[in-house]
Amino acid sequence: MSQPPDPWKSAPVPVSRPPSAATPAVDAWGRPLIGFDPAHNRNELRRSTARLGVWLSVLMWALMVVGVLSALGVTFGTLGVWHLLTLQDASLHLPPQIPWLLALAGALILVLYGLYAWVLRWARELIVRLGRWALQGLASPAPDAARLETLRRTLAGWLSFGQWGTLLAGVLGVVLVPFSAVWSQRLAEHLSRTLGSPGQVDTMATPALIAFQTVSALLSSVPGIVIAWLILGAVRRFMTLAVNRARGLTPPPILPAATTVSGWFLGCLILLGLSLLGLIANFVLLGVFGALLRTMLTRGAADGLPQDWQNVLPDGWASVVSWGLGALLVVVFVGVLVTVLLFCVLLWSRSYATALARELDARALEGPAA
C-alpha cells in the first residue's frame, strides 16, 4: 500500500549539468549529427555563400554576353553567308521574309538568355539571404521571410517550367525528325541542281532511315528528360524545406534532401568535366588546323593554289574559311569559359547545400508543422 507524501519533506531540486564535450550534436529531432563540427560547418557555409554570390554574378553577366553574341551571329552571320553564296551564284535570291525571321530569331535568343540571367539573379538572392540568416543565428522566422517566400515561389515556378520544358523539347525534337529529314532532302536536291549534278541525293530520306532517326532521337532524349526532371525536382524540394524553416515552420530534416541534391550535382560535375576536356581538345585542334590552313593559303597566294585547292576553295573563299575558323575558335573559347563557370557554381552549391542543411537541422526549432 502506497504511503502518502510527507508534507514536511521538500521535493528534490533538479540540478542542471553542463553538456559533456563528448556528447554529439543533435538535430531538432534528437538524432546525432555524425561528424558534425559546428565551427567548421559555419566556416564552410560562410565560404560557400560568399563564393556562390560571386560566381553566380559572373555567370549571369557571361550569359548575357553570350546571348548578345549568339543573337548577332544568328542574324548577321546567316545574312553574311547568304551574301557570299549570292556572289558565287547570281541566281540565288534571298526571300524578303528571311531577314525578318532572322531578326525575330535573334530577339528570341536575347529574351531567352535574359530570362536565364534573371532567374540566376533571383537564385543568387535567395542563396545569399538564406546563408546570411543561418550564419547570424537569428531566431525563426527570419526578418525577410516574406521576401524569401516570394523568391521561393518564383524559382519553384521556373523549376517546374524547366521540367515541363525539357519534356516538351524532347517531344518536339522527336516529332520534328521526319520534317527535318524531308527538308534536308529538298535542300540537297536544290543545291545539287544548282551545282549541275542532279540525281545524287534520291535516297537520302527513305522511310527506313527516317524511322531509324526518329527512334534514335526518342531513345537518346528519354535519359536526359528523366535526369533533368529528377534534378530540378530535388532542387525544388531542398529549396522549399530551407525556406519553410526560415519562415518558422518545422518541416522534415533538410539534410536528406541536401544529400540528394549533392549527389545529383556530383554527377553533373563529372559530365561537365568530360565536356570541358572535349571543348579544350576541340579548341586546340581548331587552333592547329587554322594555323596550318593559314600557312598553306599564304604560300598558295604567292605561288597560285593547286588545282585541288581551287576546286575546294573557289576564288574569294580562302579568306572566308579563315574568318569562319576564327569565329568558331571564339565560340569554342566562350563555351569553355561558360563550362568553367558552371563547374564552379555546381562545386560550391554542393558545399552550400550540405552546410546549410546541417546548420539548420542542428537548431531545435519550435513552430507549427509544415
Side-chain angles (χ1 to χ4, degrees):
M1 188 172 181
S2 62
Q3 297 292 333
D6 188 357
W8 300 101
K9 183 183 291 186
S10 60
V13 179
V15 179
S16 61
R17 298 179 179 178
S20 174
T23 302
V26 297
D27 60 10
W29 295 266
R31 301 176 309 178
L33 293 175
I34 300 175
F36 175 71
D37 184 359
H40 175 74
N41 190 76
R42 291 177 68 85
N43 290 333
E44 187 70 21
L45 179 59
R46 183 179 295 107
R47 181 167 56 250
S48 58
T49 302
R51 294 187 178 182
L52 271 179
V54 173
W55 286 109
L56 284 174
S57 297
V58 175
L59 179 61
M60 181 180 64
W61 287 105
L63 288 177
M64 294 177 66
V65 173
V66 171
V68 172
L69 294 178
S70 301
L72 293 177
V74 168
T75 305
F76 296 100
T78 307
L79 291 177
V81 170
W82 191 273
H83 178 68
L84 292 175
L85 290 175
T86 55
L87 293 179
Q88 299 297 322
D89 189 355
S91 62
L92 295 176
H93 298 285
L94 183 66
Q97 64 271 20
I98 293 298
W100 293 101
L101 291 176
L102 291 176
L104 178 61
L108 288 177
I109 290 174
L110 285 177
V111 171
L112 289 176
Y113 274 93
L115 287 176
Y116 195 7
W118 209 253
V119 171
L120 287 179
R121 178 179 177 273
W122 288 327
R124 177 186 179 277
E125 182 181 355
L126 178 63
I127 288 172
V128 172
R129 284 178 180 268
L130 277 176
R132 288 176 178 174
W133 169 71
L135 287 171
Q136 291 172 1
L138 300 178
S140 181
D144 54 352
R147 178 59 180 171
L148 290 174
E149 176 63 14
T150 301
L151 291 171
R152 185 199 69 79
R153 291 178 179 271
T154 303
L155 292 173
W158 282 107
L159 289 174
S160 299
F161 174 78
Q163 289 178 309
W164 289 103
T166 304
L167 178 61
L168 180 61
V171 172
L172 287 178
V174 173
V175 172
L176 291 177
V177 167
F179 297 96
S180 62
V182 173
W183 279 103
S184 299
Q185 182 184 12
R186 292 182 179 179
L187 179 61
E189 291 175 352
H190 174 72
L191 292 177
S192 180
R193 288 192 299 268
T194 303
L195 296 175
S197 57
Q200 296 183 1
V201 290
D202 296 335
T203 59
M204 281 190 60
T206 60
L209 182 59
I210 293 177
F212 174 77
Q213 292 176 346
T214 304
V215 174
S216 299
L218 177 62
L219 295 178
S220 61
S221 62
V222 168
I225 294 173
V226 174
I227 292 175
W229 191 282
L230 294 176
I231 291 176
L232 296 179
V235 172
R236 185 176 60 182
R237 174 172 173 77
F238 167 75
M239 178 184 62
T240 301
L241 292 176
V243 173
N244 284 342
R245 187 70 60 82
R247 292 171 57 200
L249 304 179
T250 309
I254 308 176
L255 188 57
T259 304
T260 304
V261 171
S262 179
W264 282 115
F265 283 178
L266 178 60
C268 293
L269 284 173
I270 295 174
L271 294 178
L272 278 178
L274 295 176
S275 176
L276 182 60
L277 291 177
L279 287 174
I280 294 175
N282 290 331
F283 182 78
V284 173
L285 291 176
L286 283 174
V288 173
F289 179 73
L292 292 176
L293 181 62
R294 184 177 296 274
T295 302
M296 295 175 67
L297 292 177
T298 303
R299 294 178 180 176
D303 303 333
L305 287 174
Q307 185 65 31
D308 296 339
W309 282 88
Q310 293 179 9
N311 295 332
V312 177
L313 297 176
D315 296 337
W317 277 80
S319 59
V320 175
V321 173
S322 299
W323 281 102
L325 284 175
L328 190 58
L329 275 174
V330 172
V331 171
V332 175
F333 180 73
V334 172
V336 170
L337 292 181
V338 173
T339 305
V340 169
L341 290 176
L342 288 173
F343 189 92
C344 294
V345 167
L346 286 178
L347 182 64
W348 290 110
S349 295
R350 296 184 69 238
S351 302
Y352 173 85
T354 304
L356 180 66
R358 287 181 177 272
E359 183 69 26
L360 296 183
D361 283 349
R363 298 184 186 183
L365 300 178
E366 296 180 358

